């Protein structure tokens, strides 16, 4: 079987690596993209080519023999399928987030890395979870929204800056009540949910075992059976299977924030947490990245993480203002994804398990 992989970012890279390990009989011809602008010309020793160009080089019968694995975010699958059919590619396989989860779980199992929550032994007692689904008043209306379990509460973000629209929404909580940083939401995004939960929910009184953050359209794949595995196996943290960035995970922050902002964060890291700063280069020279700020963690682990990251984000923000660095929207949210990766890869003593990141459209 011959395939092309449509995409040239982290999803496509992960699928390429998984196919090579799990489907060795499949021949990967290369990567396809709509345009080479902002894309590499080569990945994993394979060429990255524009769909229009490769279409002209292939005969009709050759296109029929090739399957295209669509390995980009699901929100653009429909448009990619239309483009493929326009160019005569009728054999394609959309890689949705559930397929991605299954393949990456098998791939990492082969590598003996990033163990899966689903593979753990069952216990008799189900852990008590308290998960918060972050929303925003301008969120896209989903055609197929997730059906949340009864342990998931919704929290509206950015209410301080959008009071008229935000407070009209039917949610369980608003992020501008109590101790909050709701006004910082344009730069912090879902991190205002982390802060609000950390400061305002007394989980000791609620006898909650694990605290989590998800999004209105991105969630960790936690099945009901998985709740009986958490306490039995003394799980500290559940994170999504890491995404793969090439040549290393610095590619993520290079794409989403300025070098000035990143250097200021490193200055703050050295100032506040020199031990983490010493490990920074070693961790960020790797290829594995915990994306999207999705987490389920023991109460103490969640609190310890928040107590670590928010002083760092606040100091970074303060230094950006002092240095007159022009800030870009969401920069601290993008930064926090990198810092979550740094924190949990640094803390190798924690029992970290993984599951899929399901995307709803």
């Amino acid at each position: 079987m011959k395939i092309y992989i449509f995409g040239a970012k982290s999803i496509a890279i992960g699928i390429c690596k998984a196919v090579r390990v799990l489907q060795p009989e499949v021949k990967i011809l290369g990567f396809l993209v709509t345009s080479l602008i902002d894309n590499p010309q080569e990945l994993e020793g394979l060429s990255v080519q524009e769909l229009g160009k490769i279409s002209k080089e292939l005969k009709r019968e050759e296109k029929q023999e090739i399957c295209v694995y669509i390995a980009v975010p699901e929100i653009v699958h429909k448009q990619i399928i239309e483009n493929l059919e326009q160019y005569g590619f009728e054999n394609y396989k959309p890689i949705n987030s559930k397929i991605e989860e299954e393949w990456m779980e098998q791939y990492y199992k082969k590598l003996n890395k990033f163990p899966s929550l689903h593979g753990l032994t069952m216990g008799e007692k189900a852990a008590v979870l308290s998960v918060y689904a972050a929303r925003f008043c301008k969120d896209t209306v989903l055609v197929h929204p997730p059906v949340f379990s009864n342990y998931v509460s919704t929290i509206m973000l950015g209410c301080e800056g959008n009071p008229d629209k935000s407070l009209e929404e039917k949610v369980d909580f608003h992020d501008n009540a109590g101790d909050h940083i709701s006004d910082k939401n344009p730069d912090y995004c879902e991190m205002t949910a982390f802060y609000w939960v950390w400061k305002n929910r007394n989980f000791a009184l609620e006898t909650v075992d694990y605290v989590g953050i998800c999004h209105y359209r991105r969630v960790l794949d936690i099945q009901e059976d998985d709740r009986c595995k958490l306490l039995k196996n003394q799980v500290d943290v559940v994170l999504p299977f890491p995404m793969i960035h090439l040549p290393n995970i610095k590619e993520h922050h290079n794409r989403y924030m300025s070098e000035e902002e990143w250097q200021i964060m490193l200055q703050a890291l050295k100032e506040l947490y020199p031990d983490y700063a010493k490990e920074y280069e070693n961790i960020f020279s790797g290829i594995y990245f915990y994306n999207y700020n999705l987490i389920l963690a023991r109460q103490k682990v969640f609190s310890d993480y928040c107590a670590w990251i928010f002083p760092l984000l606040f100091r970074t923000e303060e230094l950006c203002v002092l240095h007159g660095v022009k800030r870009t929207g969401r920069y601290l949210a993008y930064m926090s994804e990198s810092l979550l990766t740094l924190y949990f890869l640094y803390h190798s003593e924690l029992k970290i398990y993984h599951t899929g990141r399901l995307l709803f459209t």
Side-chain angles (χ1 to χ4, degrees):
M1 180 178 175
K2 298 178 182 179
I3 71 165
Y4 274 105
I5 296 175
F6 196 101
K9 300 299 183 185
S10 53
I11 296 176
I13 294 166
I15 293 302
C16 177
K17 287 182 174 290
V19 168
R20 282 177 164 171
V21 170
L22 304 175
Q23 303 175 22
E25 72 282 2
V26 171
K27 182 178 181 180
I28 305 175
L29 301 174
F31 295 86
L32 296 178
V33 292
T34 302
S35 170
L36 282 174
I37 297 174
D38 295 328
N39 280 310
Q41 294 188 344
E42 183 179 282
L43 281 174
E44 292 290 289
L46 300 168
S47 63
V48 180
Q49 301 183 66
E50 291 184 348
L51 174 61
K53 181 177 182 296
I54 200 68
S55 177
K56 293 178 181 178
E57 297 175 358
L58 295 176
K59 298 177 182 179
R60 183 174 181 274
E61 54 270 24
E62 290 177 308
K63 294 178 185 179
Q64 292 177 337
E65 294 176 357
I66 295 169
C67 183
V68 180
Y69 285 9
I70 304 174
V72 294
E74 288 163 70
I75 195 169
V76 294
H77 278 195
K78 181 179 178 182
Q79 182 60 56
I80 300 304
I81 289 171
E82 290 176 358
N83 292 345
L84 288 171
E85 292 178 346
Q86 177 185 344
Y87 284 109
F89 291 92
E90 299 179 355
N91 187 16
Y92 47 79
K93 181 180 180 66
I95 307 297
N96 61 31
S97 55
K98 187 63 179 177
I99 295 173
E100 182 189 0
E101 173 189 7
E102 293 169 356
W103 289 9
M104 297 313 295
E105 180 175 19
Q106 295 176 52
Y107 171 71
Y108 284 128
K109 185 176 181 180
K110 288 277 188 179
L111 268 58
N112 198 28
K113 290 178 178 289
F114 306 110
S116 170
L117 171 66
H118 306 311
L120 296 177
T121 55
M122 292 278 292
E124 295 182 0
K125 182 181 178 181
V128 179
L129 312 185
S130 184
V131 176
Y132 295 79
R135 291 189 53 194
F136 186 65
C137 63
K138 297 180 182 179
D139 285 339
T140 301
V141 177
L142 302 180
V143 177
H144 305 289
V147 178
F148 288 120
S149 300
N150 58 10
Y151 57 77
V152 179
S153 303
T154 51
I155 177 170
M156 181 61 64
L157 307 186
C159 297
E160 195 73 5
N162 300 279
D164 294 338
K165 293 183 178 179
S166 298
L167 297 179
E168 292 175 0
E169 298 284 345
K170 294 181 180 179
V171 294
D172 297 304
F173 301 102
H174 296 86
D175 76 340
N176 65 340
D179 187 350
H180 68 85
I181 55 170
S182 177
D183 57 311
K184 295 180 182 289
N185 182 260
D187 291 328
Y188 282 71
C189 298
E190 65 272 2
M191 293 309 293
T192 68
F194 276 79
Y195 186 89
W196 188 88
V197 171
W198 174 43
K199 290 294 187 178
N200 294 283
R201 305 303 292 164
N202 191 334
F203 296 110
L205 295 178
E206 300 175 27
T207 62
V208 169
D209 298 310
Y210 290 84
V211 185
I213 301 289
C214 67
H215 307 170
Y216 80 106
R217 65 188 182 98
R218 293 191 190 99
V219 304
L220 290 175
D221 185 12
I222 308 290
Q223 302 298 320
E224 196 61 27
D225 286 352
D226 294 327
R227 292 177 59 194
C228 295
K229 300 170 183 176
L230 295 166
L231 296 174
K232 167 73 174 179
N233 296 277
Q234 300 180 320
V235 174
D236 288 315
V237 190
V238 181
L239 296 171
F241 288 111
M243 303 187 80
I244 298 173
H245 289 257
L246 297 177
N248 52 53
I249 61 175
K250 294 177 184 177
E251 188 268 340
H252 179 270
H253 64 252
N254 288 341
R255 196 193 316 171
Y256 291 114
M257 68 196 74
S258 73
E259 183 60 23
E260 283 182 302
E261 291 163 347
W262 189 252
Q263 289 303 318
I264 287 173
M265 187 283 293
L266 290 179
Q267 178 185 340
L269 184 68
K270 292 174 183 177
E271 177 184 314
L272 296 179
Y273 307 122
D275 289 344
Y276 291 84
K278 290 177 184 176
E279 285 298 311
Y280 158 78
E281 193 60 44
N282 180 48
I283 290 173
F284 276 75
S285 62
I287 63 174
Y288 302 111
F289 187 81
Y290 290 125
N291 211 350
Y292 301 121
N293 280 326
L294 298 172
I295 187 173
L296 181 73
R298 287 185 184 273
Q299 287 185 52
K300 185 178 186 306
V301 174
F302 182 86
S303 295
D304 287 348
Y305 172 63
C306 289
W308 178 87
I309 194 170
F310 281 107
L312 182 53
L313 293 177
F314 294 158
R315 182 56 176 158
T316 300
E317 182 182 22
E318 181 181 42
L319 289 172
C320 281
V321 173
L322 289 173
H323 287 278
V325 173
K326 183 180 179 180
R327 294 176 292 168
T328 55
R330 301 172 61 93
Y331 79 113
L332 289 163
Y334 289 129
M335 202 173 282
S336 67
E337 292 175 316
S338 295
L339 294 175
L340 184 146
T341 300
L342 173 63
Y343 184 86
F344 286 106
L345 290 183
Y346 178 91
H347 283 282
S348 57
E349 78 282 2
L350 293 176
K351 297 187 72 172
I352 302 175
Y353 290 87
H354 303 82
T355 186
R357 171 261 307 135
L358 300 181
L359 175 65
F360 295 84
T361 59

